[in-house]
Amino acid sequence: MKRTKSNKRDIWRMVLIGIITVIVVITLRILVFASFKIPSFSMEPTLFAGDFILVNKLIPGPRIDFLGNNEEGRPLRLIGYRTIKRNEVLVFNDPYYKSAEIIQNWNAYYVKRCVGMPGDTLYIAGGIYYSNGQRNKINDKIATDSAQYAAMLPKFRIPGRFKELGWTIDNFGPIYIPAQGDLVTLDTINIHLYRPLIEYETGKKLVEMEDVYLLNGEVCRQYQFKLDYYFMAGDRGTDSKDSRYWGLLPKDHIVGKVAYIWKSKDSGTDKYRWDRFFKSVE
């Protein structure tokens, strides 16, 4: 009889330990970290296809997708360890997933480098990035050979979203990256830069009619942004679909900062790349 009771206690103890373990793991996955596999070559030489990365959600803060402002449909973001810094590698949801407009699709992920911060004025000249008039030091890390850009077919060098401005992926901008609270005046240039952002934030259509801009039928001469935005770029500049093609990234799409590579496997040979295990990502 005593043995039976003891066995029952052991079983319940194991069940309790299992439940607690599951709760802890789920909590950590929601609030602290996430793991992703790199599928492409757009972040070489920093990340290779077949790398498995660990993402720190505490930078800029864990995002709770099922909670938040129901009126605007935005997820809740908790206070993080610190804010994002320029040139950090981030994982984020694709803001233009199969759409010309910014959408909320929490199932499609990108990994790129944050080369432009809220409040920056960014431009690219000959494949070289400049922020606020200063050459971005990240050019020493990413592939920005102007000869590579020149060799690309014209159709791949012209980003469709900005073609009216005459920009190419190697000669791009300048573009001001809005910070939360920034007020911009709409004009013939800004309408191309910020229309998707304004429509995303308001849920309304912004149209031009005889040099007048109408937001859901009402005249809109200026707009104050509700979110921070970022300019994202791939380290392999000639083979990366990034902000040069699709535009600026809203903060609420950011998952977190890439911390390190915890495993790496060559997709071609199916062999482990042991030298990349537990390698930090800068």
Side-chain angles (χ1 to χ4, degrees), residues 17-192:
I17 291 173
I19 293 173
I20 292 173
T21 301
V22 170
I23 292 174
V24 170
V25 170
I26 292 175
T27 301
L28 290 175
R29 289 294 303 269
I30 293 175
L31 300 179
V32 181
F33 69 87
S35 177
F36 297 91
K37 180 182 178 182
I38 303 300
S40 69
F41 305 97
S42 67
M43 280 298 293
E44 287 189 354
T46 304
L47 297 172
F48 293 167
D51 284 347
F52 290 78
I53 57 174
L54 195 73
V55 176
N56 182 358
K57 291 186 174 183
L58 296 177
I59 302 173
R63 191 185 73 190
I64 313 299
D65 296 345
F66 53 85
L67 296 176
N69 187 324
N70 292 327
E71 182 180 347
E72 296 180 351
R74 309 206 189 287
L76 172 69
R77 189 179 295 277
L78 303 180
I79 296 175
Y81 170 69
R82 64 166 173 82
T83 58
I84 295 165
K85 295 180 180 179
R86 183 181 287 105
N87 295 331
E88 289 185 324
V89 179
L90 308 177
V91 167
F92 54 94
N93 296 106
D94 180 359
Y96 297 92
Y97 181 72
K98 297 182 179 179
S99 173
E101 302 174 348
I102 300 177
I103 61 172
Q104 291 183 342
N105 184 313
W106 305 139
N107 297 314
Y109 297 93
Y110 273 1
V111 56
K112 304 289 179 187
R113 191 177 295 278
C114 177
V115 297
M117 299 286 292
D120 282 356
T121 296
L122 178 145
Y123 69 92
I124 307 170
I128 305 298
Y129 287 84
Y130 294 84
S131 297
N132 304 319
Q134 301 295 316
R135 186 180 188 274
N136 192 328
K137 64 179 181 180
I138 205 60
N139 289 295
D140 300 328
K141 181 184 289 290
I142 66 179
T144 55
D145 186 350
S146 58
Q148 288 183 310
Y149 287 111
M152 295 176 67
L153 293 175
K155 66 178 180 178
F156 295 121
R157 296 179 64 242
I158 300 175
R161 183 172 292 278
F162 305 105
K163 63 182 179 181
E164 293 87 353
L165 302 176
W167 296 356
T168 65
I169 63 171
D170 51 326
N171 289 286
F172 185 100
I175 181 172
Y176 178 76
I177 306 170
Q180 182 181 11
D182 279 351
L183 186 69
V184 297
T185 299
L186 295 180
D187 55 32
T188 54
I189 294 178
N190 285 345
I191 192 68
H192 296 294

